[in-house]
Amino acid sequence: MDNSSDLTHIRITASIAPSVLGSSITMVSGNGEFDKMKRTISWKLDRLPKGESFMVSAKARVQEDVPTTPKEFPVMLRCSAQDQISTVSLQAAKLPNHPASIASQLQSRSFLLVHHLK
């Protein structure tokens, strides 16, 4: 993100597909927490100084007896800024036979970014 001030109250939430074994979820980077009831992983960061970045990731196993239908993992990013966010850069890695789509929406001083893997 390119903006003139720090970002605060950053929260990234990923919805976990029903075919993912919740007990197999482990955090690879970031201090994420898996909510078993909501089936989401949430990462929180209080403050991101101007010009800096951070990465979050998790890994899990998919149930073996589930058909090979597309798995969706919507991701939402929320944050606050003292000014408006001028640009956002997101890099989504394409997996073989699993195209990624990205949609975003700007709401007042909040920026909502939703990333779907199909």
Side-chain angles (χ1 to χ4, degrees):
M1 294 185 189
D2 181 18
N3 52 299
S4 61
S5 65
D6 298 349
L7 299 177
T8 58
H9 311 294
I10 300 161
R11 183 181 180 118
I12 298 173
T13 303
S15 296
I16 305 303
S19 58
V20 171
L21 297 169
S23 60
S24 73
I25 295 174
T26 57
M27 302 307 137
V28 176
S29 61
N31 60 346
E33 294 183 15
F34 176 59
D35 184 321
K36 293 176 187 178
M37 293 292 288
K38 295 180 182 177
R39 292 198 55 83
T40 60
I41 300 174
S42 294
W43 293 270
K44 296 178 186 177
L45 185 66
D46 291 332
R47 184 173 168 263
L48 182 64
K50 176 186 172 188
E52 291 190 20
S53 63
F54 74 104
M55 182 187 320
V56 297
S57 60
K59 64 180 181 177
R61 289 190 340 240
V62 176
Q63 296 176 29
E64 293 180 18
D65 59 343
V66 175
T68 56
T69 56
K71 312 295 184 275
E72 293 190 359
F73 299 88
V75 177
M76 182 176 65
L77 165 68
R78 299 184 96 174
C79 64
S80 298
Q82 293 298 318
D83 57 1
Q84 80 180 26
I85 297 172
S86 55
T87 61
V88 173
S89 175
L90 174 71
Q91 185 176 20
K94 287 188 177 183
L95 301 174
N97 302 318
H98 293 87
S101 66
I102 300 171
S104 63
Q105 181 180 8
L106 182 63
Q107 298 178 349
S108 66
R109 288 193 174 206
S110 295
F111 188 85
L112 174 63
L113 176 73
V114 181
H115 172 239
H116 292 279
L117 287 177
K118 292 184 179 180

